[in-house]
Amino acid sequence: MWAIKCDSGRLILEDKDNCLGIVIRIHSNYYYVDYNNETWECMLRSKLKKEGTEPKVGDKVLIDEFKIVTKDDVISIHSAVITSILTRNNELDKPNVANIDQAIIVTSTYSPDFNPLLLDKFIVLSESNNINPIICINKSDKIDEDLREFIEKTYRNIGYEIVYTSAKENQGLDDLKNVLSNKISVLTGVSGSGKSSLINAINPELSLQVAEVSKNLGTGRHTTRHVSLQKVFFNNQKALIADTPGFSFIELNNIQSKELAWNFREFTPFIPECALSDCLHWQEPDCNVKRNINTETSRYNNYLNLLIEVLGFEKINNARSSKKESQVKISQRADGKNIRVVKIGSQAREDSRRTVKQELSEIGKRTSIDDMEED
Ligand SMILES: Nc1nc2c(ncn2[C@@H]2O[C@H](COP(=O)(O)OP(=O)(O)O)[C@@H](O)[C@H]2O)c(=O)[nH]1
Ligand SMILES: [Mg+2]
């Protein structure tokens, strides 16, 4: 460690080995890294820049070349340089954030009413992104015993962690804090479930601008603003919480139908023994999942509902790609040169008349799925 005098005071250069920090905010070319409970303003080492590497919020990074600038003995800037980025465990696009440990799925007991289909959908979104789902039952000041029993039987029994909270009555907040400690979390769940109230109850100084997932299926509103991770301190512990909800869209359009069941953890031990390798655990013969689970449960019923949704998206995507295929044709011009001619196929013409929503509602009618809005 050494010190250099500079105009405004002292500049201390502290030479440490590479240390592991987490990017919590990005602003133009500056990356703000949480390391040792301080926020360090970092530039990217030029080698990484040249490689085109771009850190995301949530990235675990090694930092070096620490500088602490002091002015009149008061520390004004901690700065350092990012020397490498560790492999990500997971990453979301919207919001653009990596290495989320867990999604706190905030679900209310009333207004909006508890909706197991939506809860399962959020669970699938988490599982499919390799993010551990934690079920937070908020407004538990108004929970009846039947509902509590249903939640325990359905979710606790298959291994999900559940916390019961009431932001209004300050109940269960210590349990929630325990879950959040030393982790990177996103709070997710529909509008009105109590996300903002919970954040405020945990830490009133932290005013998260939690943007909302729209009430209507598939019409998520996403913010253009960069996500950042907020540091929250309690009981000598620190939590990092994303300031936007975990999933801007609650559509399952990135999941393949034959993959969906892998996001139902109670199904997974039985999937490999199904007779068909692409078994959808629905109408197929010799299905090992159906043989081993109770198909009378809301989980299985919700699985089927979500499967129909996923199949609907697949149908639309296939139609789109067949449209693409039919668009390009090579033709020979009079001068002998080959040219590409765009020609729309009949299937594509038919599909282009329909919107995605119409397609989905038609599939819905054929299979009489319930309306999937949450309240
Ligand atoms: N009874 C009760 N009401 C709550 C609770 N938490 C939040 N609310 C109310 O639910 C409404 C929606 O809460 P809000 O935090 O804005 O939900 P968000 O949309 O998920 O951020 C507000 O009127 C809150 O006062 C709770 O634990 N119990
Ligand atoms: Mg809110």
Side-chain angles (χ1 to χ4, degrees):
M1 193 203 273
W2 63 99
I4 306 166
K5 284 267 183 203
C6 66
D7 290 344
S8 57
R10 268 183 312 139
L11 173 67
I12 303 168
L13 282 178
E14 206 182 323
D15 203 18
K16 300 185 189 181
D17 289 336
N18 278 323
C19 298
L20 185 64
I22 296 176
V23 177
I24 55 170
R25 190 158 52 90
I26 299 176
H27 186 70
S28 50
N29 286 334
Y30 290 101
Y31 300 89
Y32 294 85
V33 174
D34 177 58
Y35 165 69
N36 207 12
N37 284 343
E38 306 283 2
T39 302
W40 298 77
E41 188 183 83
C42 298
M43 300 285 277
L44 200 57
R45 180 162 277 177
S46 47
K47 182 174 160 276
L48 294 181
K49 234 191 239 168
K50 278 186 204 133
E51 288 169 4
T53 312
E54 267 187 55
K56 273 188 176 208
V57 167
D59 263 330
K60 295 187 176 144
V61 292
L62 296 180
I63 56 175
D64 199 358
E65 298 176 29
F66 295 82
K67 289 180 190 163
I68 300 172
V69 178
T70 61
K71 192 176 177 187
D72 303 330
D73 282 338
V74 179
I75 291 174
S76 57
I77 295 177
H78 290 75
S79 76
V81 171
I82 294 176
T83 58
S84 63
I85 304 170
L86 275 59
T87 309
R88 293 170 184 149
N89 295 333
N90 56 49
E91 55 187 300
L92 297 175
D93 274 346
K94 291 175 187 152
N96 195 9
V97 57
N99 295 322
I100 301 293
D101 291 309
Q102 55 189 12
I104 313 294
I105 304 173
V106 181
T107 310
S108 66
T109 56
Y110 81 104
S111 182
D113 282 344
F114 179 78
N115 180 330
L117 177 57
L118 261 174
L119 174 56
D120 285 333
K121 196 167 185 179
F122 277 110
I123 290 175
V124 167
L125 281 168
S126 303
E127 298 272 16
S128 62
N129 282 292
N130 196 23
I131 297 171
N132 187 36
I134 307 280
I135 300 170
C136 174
I137 306 292
N138 189 42
K139 308 196 190 182
S140 64
D141 46 294
K142 297 211 175 163
I143 187 170
D144 63 45
E145 271 319 300
D146 288 349
L147 179 56
R148 190 186 281 267
E149 202 184 306
F150 170 81
I151 293 166
E152 290 293 313
K153 202 174 78 195
T154 310
Y155 297 98
R156 181 99 62 193
N157 275 357
I158 53 173
Y160 283 113
E161 193 168 346
I162 305 168
V163 280
Y164 293 90
T165 56
S166 166
K168 193 174 166 208
E169 310 272 325
N170 279 352
Q171 287 165 8
L173 299 184
D174 282 339
D175 296 337
L176 184 58
K177 286 176 187 171
N178 282 338
V179 164
L180 293 169
S181 286
N182 305 316
K183 298 259 167 63
I184 302 179
S185 309
V186 290
L187 259 73
T188 195
V190 293
S191 177
S193 55
K195 297 179 293 298
S196 305
S197 308
L198 280 172
I199 293 287
N200 290 336
I202 288 174
N203 189 332
E205 287 148 45
L206 193 80
S207 62
L208 293 195
Q209 295 171 3
V210 180
E212 300 303 348
V213 171
S214 159
K215 281 191 165 192
N216 296 318
L217 173 74
T219 54
R221 177 151 58 94
H222 53 99
T223 58
T224 47
R225 199 169 59 82
H226 280 305
V227 62
S228 65
L229 296 176
Q230 304 285 327
K231 288 194 251 186
V232 189
F233 295 93
F234 33 66
N235 319 336
N236 293 328
Q237 305 284 340
K238 181 177 65 183
L240 293 174
I241 305 175
D243 67 350
T244 48
F247 310 103
S248 322
F249 288 91
I250 49 172
E251 285 174 352
L252 300 180
N253 51 352
N254 289 325
I255 297 176
Q256 289 187 356
S257 51
K258 62 178 196 291
E259 300 297 326
L260 180 66
W262 289 99
N263 302 298
F264 284 73
R265 54 172 69 171
E266 69 275 39
F267 298 4
T268 56
F270 310 115
I271 297 174
E273 301 303 321
C274 284
L276 300 175
S277 63
D278 55 356
C279 184
L280 297 180
H281 324 295
W282 182 18
Q283 295 159 329
E284 295 77 4
D286 202 9
C287 168
N288 195 43
V289 170
K290 280 173 73 177
R291 204 163 33 236
N292 283 282
I293 62 151
N294 180 357
T295 55
E296 301 293 304
T297 57
S298 77
R299 287 277 292 171
Y300 182 71
N301 191 43
N302 292 345
Y303 166 73
L304 289 185
N305 274 286
L306 297 180
L307 179 65
I308 301 290
E309 185 183 334
V310 169
L311 287 169
F313 279 114
E314 272 173 8
K315 188 169 181 282
I316 291 160
N317 289 338
N318 288 342
R320 281 195 182 139
S321 58
S322 81
K323 183 172 154 191
K324 261 188 215 145
E325 279 161 23
S326 65
Q327 276 179 332
V328 183
K329 206 179 147 209
I330 306 294
S331 251
Q332 211 171 41
R333 256 182 2 199
D335 60 6
K337 276 197 174 162
N338 282 341
I339 54 162
R340 285 156 67 86
V341 178
V342 176
K343 192 165 186 278
I344 297 175
S346 58
Q347 174 67 45
R349 262 202 306 276
E350 194 193 315
D351 288 329
S352 66
R353 288 197 202 106
R354 304 174 182 192
T355 65
V356 167
K357 272 209 162 136
Q358 280 169 329
E359 284 259 8
L360 276 177
S361 69
E362 275 178 29
I363 295 161
K365 268 178 224 148
R366 280 204 297 277
T367 51
S368 65
I369 326 171
D370 303 335
D371 180 32
M372 289 186 37
E373 289 189 7
E374 81 269 23
D375 48 9

mmCIF file with all atom_site columns, all heavy atoms in Angstrom, residues 10 26 52 59 71-72 110 120-121 138 196 218 252 293 300 302 346 352 356:
data_model
loop_
_atom_site.group_PDB
_atom_site.id
_atom_site.type_symbol
_atom_site.label_atom_id
_atom_site.label_alt_id
_atom_site.label_comp_id
_atom_site.label_asym_id
_atom_site.label_entity_id
_atom_site.label_seq_id
_atom_site.pdbx_PDB_ins_code
_atom_site.Cartn_x
_atom_site.Cartn_y
_atom_site.Cartn_z
_atom_site.occupancy
_atom_site.B_iso_or_equiv
_atom_site.pdbx_formal_charge
_atom_site.auth_seq_id
_atom_site.auth_comp_id
_atom_site.auth_asym_id
_atom_site.auth_atom_id
_atom_site.pdbx_PDB_model_num
ATOM 1   N N   . ARG A 1 10  ? -5.438  13.422  -0.430  1.00 0.00 ? 10  ARG A N   1
ATOM 2   C CA  . ARG A 1 10  ? -4.559  12.271  -0.530  1.00 0.00 ? 10  ARG A CA  1
ATOM 3   C C   . ARG A 1 10  ? -5.147  11.233  -1.461  1.00 0.00 ? 10  ARG A C   1
ATOM 4   O O   . ARG A 1 10  ? -6.349  10.986  -1.450  1.00 0.00 ? 10  ARG A O   1
ATOM 5   C CB  . ARG A 1 10  ? -4.381  11.633  0.852   1.00 0.00 ? 10  ARG A CB  1
ATOM 6   C CG  . ARG A 1 10  ? -3.199  12.172  1.602   1.00 0.00 ? 10  ARG A CG  1
ATOM 7   C CD  . ARG A 1 10  ? -3.037  11.466  2.915   1.00 0.00 ? 10  ARG A CD  1
ATOM 8   N NE  . ARG A 1 10  ? -4.288  11.372  3.661   1.00 0.00 ? 10  ARG A NE  1
ATOM 9   C CZ  . ARG A 1 10  ? -4.658  10.299  4.329   1.00 0.00 ? 10  ARG A CZ  1
ATOM 10  N NH1 . ARG A 1 10  ? -3.910  9.222   4.335   1.00 0.00 ? 10  ARG A NH1 1
ATOM 11  N NH2 . ARG A 1 10  ? -5.783  10.280  5.006   1.00 0.00 ? 10  ARG A NH2 1
ATOM 12  N N   . ILE A 1 26  ? -25.019 -0.188  -13.448 1.00 0.00 ? 26  ILE A N   1
ATOM 13  C CA  . ILE A 1 26  ? -24.164 0.187   -14.575 1.00 0.00 ? 26  ILE A CA  1
ATOM 14  C C   . ILE A 1 26  ? -24.596 1.559   -15.040 1.00 0.00 ? 26  ILE A C   1
ATOM 15  O O   . ILE A 1 26  ? -25.795 1.828   -15.189 1.00 0.00 ? 26  ILE A O   1
ATOM 16  C CB  . ILE A 1 26  ? -24.302 -0.830  -15.742 1.00 0.00 ? 26  ILE A CB  1
ATOM 17  C CG1 . ILE A 1 26  ? -23.879 -2.230  -15.274 1.00 0.00 ? 26  ILE A CG1 1
ATOM 18  C CG2 . ILE A 1 26  ? -23.464 -0.396  -16.947 1.00 0.00 ? 26  ILE A CG2 1
ATOM 19  C CD1 . ILE A 1 26  ? -24.058 -3.327  -16.305 1.00 0.00 ? 26  ILE A CD1 1
ATOM 20  N N   . GLY A 1 52  ? -14.940 -7.497  -26.353 1.00 0.00 ? 52  GLY A N   1
ATOM 21  C CA  . GLY A 1 52  ? -16.378 -7.240  -26.457 1.00 0.00 ? 52  GLY A CA  1
ATOM 22  C C   . GLY A 1 52  ? -17.165 -7.783  -25.269 1.00 0.00 ? 52  GLY A C   1
ATOM 23  O O   . GLY A 1 52  ? -18.380 -7.899  -25.323 1.00 0.00 ? 52  GLY A O   1
ATOM 24  N N   . ASP A 1 59  ? -23.439 -9.722  -12.278 1.00 0.00 ? 59  ASP A N   1
ATOM 25  C CA  . ASP A 1 59  ? -22.228 -10.472 -12.596 1.00 0.00 ? 59  ASP A CA  1
ATOM 26  C C   . ASP A 1 59  ? -21.271 -10.501 -11.416 1.00 0.00 ? 59  ASP A C   1
ATOM 27  O O   . ASP A 1 59  ? -21.095 -9.492  -10.711 1.00 0.00 ? 59  ASP A O   1
ATOM 28  C CB  . ASP A 1 59  ? -21.512 -9.838  -13.802 1.00 0.00 ? 59  ASP A CB  1
ATOM 29  C CG  . ASP A 1 59  ? -21.874 -10.553 -15.093 1.00 0.00 ? 59  ASP A CG  1
ATOM 30  O OD1 . ASP A 1 59  ? -22.148 -11.771 -15.042 1.00 0.00 ? 59  ASP A OD1 1
ATOM 31  O OD2 . ASP A 1 59  ? -21.888 -9.893  -16.145 1.00 0.00 ? 59  ASP A OD2 1
ATOM 32  N N   . LYS A 1 71  ? -10.559 13.296  0.364   1.00 0.00 ? 71  LYS A N   1
ATOM 33  C CA  . LYS A 1 71  ? -10.460 14.741  0.320   1.00 0.00 ? 71  LYS A CA  1
ATOM 34  C C   . LYS A 1 71  ? -10.678 15.243  1.738   1.00 0.00 ? 71  LYS A C   1
ATOM 35  O O   . LYS A 1 71  ? -11.703 14.911  2.354   1.00 0.00 ? 71  LYS A O   1
ATOM 36  C CB  . LYS A 1 71  ? -11.542 15.284  -0.626  1.00 0.00 ? 71  LYS A CB  1
ATOM 37  C CG  . LYS A 1 71  ? -11.353 16.726  -0.975  1.00 0.00 ? 71  LYS A CG  1
ATOM 38  C CD  . LYS A 1 71  ? -12.391 17.153  -1.989  1.00 0.00 ? 71  LYS A CD  1
ATOM 39  C CE  . LYS A 1 71  ? -12.219 18.631  -2.256  1.00 0.00 ? 71  LYS A CE  1
ATOM 40  N NZ  . LYS A 1 71  ? -13.266 19.166  -3.095  1.00 0.00 ? 71  LYS A NZ  1
ATOM 41  N N   . ASP A 1 72  ? -9.741  15.988  2.243   1.00 0.00 ? 72  ASP A N   1
ATOM 42  C CA  . ASP A 1 72  ? -9.792  16.449  3.635   1.00 0.00 ? 72  ASP A CA  1
ATOM 43  C C   . ASP A 1 72  ? -10.090 15.284  4.578   1.00 0.00 ? 72  ASP A C   1
ATOM 44  O O   . ASP A 1 72  ? -10.969 15.361  5.439   1.00 0.00 ? 72  ASP A O   1
ATOM 45  C CB  . ASP A 1 72  ? -10.861 17.538  3.807   1.00 0.00 ? 72  ASP A CB  1
ATOM 46  C CG  . ASP A 1 72  ? -10.614 18.703  2.871   1.00 0.00 ? 72  ASP A CG  1
ATOM 47  O OD1 . ASP A 1 72  ? -9.439  18.962  2.545   1.00 0.00 ? 72  ASP A OD1 1
ATOM 48  O OD2 . ASP A 1 72  ? -11.611 19.322  2.438   1.00 0.00 ? 72  ASP A OD2 1
ATOM 49  N N   . TYR A 1 110 ? -55.913 -12.598 -0.984  1.00 0.00 ? 110 TYR A N   1
ATOM 50  C CA  . TYR A 1 110 ? -57.134 -11.992 -1.536  1.00 0.00 ? 110 TYR A CA  1
ATOM 51  C C   . TYR A 1 110 ? -56.742 -10.672 -2.195  1.00 0.00 ? 110 TYR A C   1
ATOM 52  O O   . TYR A 1 110 ? -55.706 -10.105 -1.906  1.00 0.00 ? 110 TYR A O   1
ATOM 53  C CB  . TYR A 1 110 ? -58.178 -11.763 -0.413  1.00 0.00 ? 110 TYR A CB  1
ATOM 54  C CG  . TYR A 1 110 ? -57.929 -10.507 0.381   1.00 0.00 ? 110 TYR A CG  1
ATOM 55  C CD1 . TYR A 1 110 ? -58.713 -9.363  0.184   1.00 0.00 ? 110 TYR A CD1 1
ATOM 56  C CD2 . TYR A 1 110 ? -56.885 -10.441 1.298   1.00 0.00 ? 110 TYR A CD2 1
ATOM 57  C CE1 . TYR A 1 110 ? -58.452 -8.196  0.895   1.00 0.00 ? 110 TYR A CE1 1
ATOM 58  C CE2 . TYR A 1 110 ? -56.623 -9.291  1.999   1.00 0.00 ? 110 TYR A CE2 1
ATOM 59  C CZ  . TYR A 1 110 ? -57.415 -8.171  1.798   1.00 0.00 ? 110 TYR A CZ  1
ATOM 60  O OH  . TYR A 1 110 ? -57.154 -7.020  2.482   1.00 0.00 ? 110 TYR A OH  1
ATOM 61  N N   . ASP A 1 120 ? -48.204 -21.408 -10.242 1.00 0.00 ? 120 ASP A N   1
ATOM 62  C CA  . ASP A 1 120 ? -47.445 -22.445 -10.944 1.00 0.00 ? 120 ASP A CA  1
ATOM 63  C C   . ASP A 1 120 ? -46.734 -21.870 -12.167 1.00 0.00 ? 120 ASP A C   1
ATOM 64  O O   . ASP A 1 120 ? -45.634 -22.295 -12.514 1.00 0.00 ? 120 ASP A O   1
ATOM 65  C CB  . ASP A 1 120 ? -48.356 -23.616 -11.332 1.00 0.00 ? 120 ASP A CB  1
ATOM 66  C CG  . ASP A 1 120 ? -48.700 -24.468 -10.117 1.00 0.00 ? 120 ASP A CG  1
ATOM 67  O OD1 . ASP A 1 120 ? -47.883 -24.490 -9.171  1.00 0.00 ? 120 ASP A OD1 1
ATOM 68  O OD2 . ASP A 1 120 ? -49.776 -25.084 -10.088 1.00 0.00 ? 120 ASP A OD2 1
ATOM 69  N N   . LYS A 1 121 ? -47.341 -20.906 -12.777 1.00 0.00 ? 121 LYS A N   1
ATOM 70  C CA  . LYS A 1 121 ? -46.714 -20.283 -13.950 1.00 0.00 ? 121 LYS A CA  1
ATOM 71  C C   . LYS A 1 121 ? -45.448 -19.530 -13.532 1.00 0.00 ? 121 LYS A C   1
ATOM 72  O O   . LYS A 1 121 ? -44.411 -19.639 -14.177 1.00 0.00 ? 121 LYS A O   1
ATOM 73  C CB  . LYS A 1 121 ? -47.725 -19.320 -14.579 1.00 0.00 ? 121 LYS A CB  1
ATOM 74  C CG  . LYS A 1 121 ? -47.372 -18.918 -15.958 1.00 0.00 ? 121 LYS A CG  1
ATOM 75  C CD  . LYS A 1 121 ? -48.559 -18.242 -16.599 1.00 0.00 ? 121 LYS A CD  1
ATOM 76  C CE  . LYS A 1 121 ? -48.247 -17.947 -18.038 1.00 0.00 ? 121 LYS A CE  1
ATOM 77  N NZ  . LYS A 1 121 ? -49.359 -17.327 -18.728 1.00 0.00 ? 121 LYS A NZ  1
ATOM 78  N N   . ASN A 1 138 ? -48.403 -13.422 0.845   1.00 0.00 ? 138 ASN A N   1
ATOM 79  C CA  . ASN A 1 138 ? -48.604 -12.142 1.538   1.00 0.00 ? 138 ASN A CA  1
ATOM 80  C C   . ASN A 1 138 ? -50.104 -11.951 1.821   1.00 0.00 ? 138 ASN A C   1
ATOM 81  O O   . ASN A 1 138 ? -50.931 -12.701 1.332   1.00 0.00 ? 138 ASN A O   1
ATOM 82  C CB  . ASN A 1 138 ? -48.041 -11.003 0.688   1.00 0.00 ? 138 ASN A CB  1
ATOM 83  C CG  . ASN A 1 138 ? -48.031 -9.697  1.459   1.00 0.00 ? 138 ASN A CG  1
ATOM 84  O OD1 . ASN A 1 138 ? -47.687 -9.675  2.651   1.00 0.00 ? 138 ASN A OD1 1
ATOM 85  N ND2 . ASN A 1 138 ? -48.421 -8.611  0.817   1.00 0.00 ? 138 ASN A ND2 1
ATOM 86  N N   . SER A 1 196 ? -44.390 -3.988  -3.247  1.00 0.00 ? 196 SER A N   1
ATOM 87  C CA  . SER A 1 196 ? -43.876 -2.700  -2.756  1.00 0.00 ? 196 SER A CA  1
ATOM 88  C C   . SER A 1 196 ? -44.066 -2.594  -1.252  1.00 0.00 ? 196 SER A C   1
ATOM 89  O O   . SER A 1 196 ? -43.171 -2.137  -0.536  1.00 0.00 ? 196 SER A O   1
ATOM 90  C CB  . SER A 1 196 ? -44.594 -1.537  -3.443  1.00 0.00 ? 196 SER A CB  1
ATOM 91  O OG  . SER A 1 196 ? -44.483 -1.659  -4.828  1.00 0.00 ? 196 SER A OG  1
ATOM 92  N N   . GLY A 1 218 ? -49.815 -12.014 -20.674 1.00 0.00 ? 218 GLY A N   1
ATOM 93  C CA  . GLY A 1 218 ? -48.961 -11.771 -21.826 1.00 0.00 ? 218 GLY A CA  1
ATOM 94  C C   . GLY A 1 218 ? -48.791 -10.328 -22.219 1.00 0.00 ? 218 GLY A C   1
ATOM 95  O O   . GLY A 1 218 ? -48.181 -10.033 -23.233 1.00 0.00 ? 218 GLY A O   1
ATOM 96  N N   . LEU A 1 252 ? -45.099 -18.058 -21.576 1.00 0.00 ? 252 LEU A N   1
ATOM 97  C CA  . LEU A 1 252 ? -44.159 -19.183 -21.558 1.00 0.00 ? 252 LEU A CA  1
ATOM 98  C C   . LEU A 1 252 ? -43.648 -19.465 -22.969 1.00 0.00 ? 252 LEU A C   1
ATOM 99  O O   . LEU A 1 252 ? -43.448 -20.603 -23.337 1.00 0.00 ? 252 LEU A O   1
ATOM 100 C CB  . LEU A 1 252 ? -44.849 -20.430 -21.000 1.00 0.00 ? 252 LEU A CB  1
ATOM 101 C CG  . LEU A 1 252 ? -45.392 -20.299 -19.575 1.00 0.00 ? 252 LEU A CG  1
ATOM 102 C CD1 . LEU A 1 252 ? -46.046 -21.594 -19.146 1.00 0.00 ? 252 LEU A CD1 1
ATOM 103 C CD2 . LEU A 1 252 ? -44.279 -19.938 -18.590 1.00 0.00 ? 252 LEU A CD2 1
ATOM 104 N N   . ILE A 1 293 ? -47.837 -40.013 -10.395 1.00 0.00 ? 293 ILE A N   1
ATOM 105 C CA  . ILE A 1 293 ? -48.318 -38.844 -9.645  1.00 0.00 ? 293 ILE A CA  1
ATOM 106 C C   . ILE A 1 293 ? -49.838 -38.890 -9.572  1.00 0.00 ? 293 ILE A C   1
ATOM 107 O O   . ILE A 1 293 ? -50.479 -39.632 -10.312 1.00 0.00 ? 293 ILE A O   1
ATOM 108 C CB  . ILE A 1 293 ? -47.858 -37.512 -10.289 1.00 0.00 ? 293 ILE A CB  1
ATOM 109 C CG1 . ILE A 1 293 ? -48.441 -37.398 -11.704 1.00 0.00 ? 293 ILE A CG1 1
ATOM 110 C CG2 . ILE A 1 293 ? -46.355 -37.356 -10.294 1.00 0.00 ? 293 ILE A CG2 1
ATOM 111 C CD1 . ILE A 1 293 ? -48.656 -35.991 -12.125 1.00 0.00 ? 293 ILE A CD1 1
ATOM 112 N N   . TYR A 1 300 ? -51.241 -30.966 -11.474 1.00 0.00 ? 300 TYR A N   1
ATOM 113 C CA  . TYR A 1 300 ? -51.295 -31.654 -12.765 1.00 0.00 ? 300 TYR A CA  1
ATOM 114 C C   . TYR A 1 300 ? -52.249 -30.922 -13.718 1.00 0.00 ? 300 TYR A C   1
ATOM 115 O O   . TYR A 1 300 ? -51.954 -30.731 -14.898 1.00 0.00 ? 300 TYR A O   1
ATOM 116 C CB  . TYR A 1 300 ? -51.711 -33.118 -12.589 1.00 0.00 ? 300 TYR A CB  1
ATOM 117 C CG  . TYR A 1 300 ? -51.719 -33.836 -13.936 1.00 0.00 ? 300 TYR A CG  1
ATOM 118 C CD1 . TYR A 1 300 ? -50.523 -34.128 -14.582 1.00 0.00 ? 300 TYR A CD1 1
ATOM 119 C CD2 . TYR A 1 300 ? -52.925 -34.167 -14.565 1.00 0.00 ? 300 TYR A CD2 1
ATOM 120 C CE1 . TYR A 1 300 ? -50.525 -34.742 -15.832 1.00 0.00 ? 300 TYR A CE1 1
ATOM 121 C CE2 . TYR A 1 300 ? -52.927 -34.785 -15.806 1.00 0.00 ? 300 TYR A CE2 1
ATOM 122 C CZ  . TYR A 1 300 ? -51.735 -35.073 -16.439 1.00 0.00 ? 300 TYR A CZ  1
ATOM 123 O OH  . TYR A 1 300 ? -51.730 -35.661 -17.673 1.00 0.00 ? 300 TYR A OH  1
ATOM 124 N N   . ASN A 1 302 ? -52.910 -27.767 -13.663 1.00 0.00 ? 302 ASN A N   1
ATOM 125 C CA  . ASN A 1 302 ? -52.222 -26.550 -14.110 1.00 0.00 ? 302 ASN A CA  1
ATOM 126 C C   . ASN A 1 302 ? -51.149 -26.878 -15.131 1.00 0.00 ? 302 ASN A C   1
ATOM 127 O O   . ASN A 1 302 ? -50.912 -26.105 -16.072 1.00 0.00 ? 302 ASN A O   1
ATOM 128 C CB  . ASN A 1 302 ? -51.602 -25.813 -12.919 1.00 0.00 ? 302 ASN A CB  1
ATOM 129 C CG  . ASN A 1 302 ? -52.669 -25.244 -12.007 1.00 0.00 ? 302 ASN A CG  1
ATOM 130 O OD1 . ASN A 1 302 ? -53.833 -25.154 -12.394 1.00 0.00 ? 302 ASN A OD1 1
ATOM 131 N ND2 . ASN A 1 302 ? -52.290 -24.871 -10.790 1.00 0.00 ? 302 ASN A ND2 1
ATOM 132 N N   . SER A 1 346 ? -49.212 -20.260 -49.053 1.00 0.00 ? 346 SER A N   1
ATOM 133 C CA  . SER A 1 346 ? -50.632 -20.159 -48.703 1.00 0.00 ? 346 SER A CA  1
ATOM 134 C C   . SER A 1 346 ? -50.833 -20.298 -47.191 1.00 0.00 ? 346 SER A C   1
ATOM 135 O O   . SER A 1 346 ? -51.644 -19.612 -46.594 1.00 0.00 ? 346 SER A O   1
ATOM 136 C CB  . SER A 1 346 ? -51.427 -21.224 -49.445 1.00 0.00 ? 346 SER A CB  1
ATOM 137 O OG  . SER A 1 346 ? -50.903 -22.493 -49.105 1.00 0.00 ? 346 SER A OG  1
ATOM 138 N N   . SER A 1 352 ? -50.926 -15.205 -41.382 1.00 0.00 ? 352 SER A N   1
ATOM 139 C CA  . SER A 1 352 ? -50.698 -13.777 -41.172 1.00 0.00 ? 352 SER A CA  1
ATOM 140 C C   . SER A 1 352 ? -52.007 -13.039 -40.922 1.00 0.00 ? 352 SER A C   1
ATOM 141 O O   . SER A 1 352 ? -52.016 -11.949 -40.397 1.00 0.00 ? 352 SER A O   1
ATOM 142 C CB  . SER A 1 352 ? -49.964 -13.171 -42.371 1.00 0.00 ? 352 SER A CB  1
ATOM 143 O OG  . SER A 1 352 ? -50.806 -13.228 -43.494 1.00 0.00 ? 352 SER A OG  1
ATOM 144 N N   . VAL A 1 356 ? -51.575 -13.433 -32.846 1.00 0.00 ? 356 VAL A N   1
ATOM 145 C CA  . VAL A 1 356 ? -51.165 -14.415 -31.846 1.00 0.00 ? 356 VAL A CA  1
ATOM 146 C C   . VAL A 1 356 ? -52.297 -14.652 -30.836 1.00 0.00 ? 356 VAL A C   1
ATOM 147 O O   . VAL A 1 356 ? -52.612 -15.768 -30.469 1.00 0.00 ? 356 VAL A O   1
ATOM 148 C CB  . VAL A 1 356 ? -49.911 -13.892 -31.119 1.00 0.00 ? 356 VAL A CB  1
ATOM 149 C CG1 . VAL A 1 356 ? -49.618 -14.691 -29.866 1.00 0.00 ? 356 VAL A CG1 1
ATOM 150 C CG2 . VAL A 1 356 ? -48.725 -13.901 -32.057 1.00 0.00 ? 356 VAL A CG2 1
#
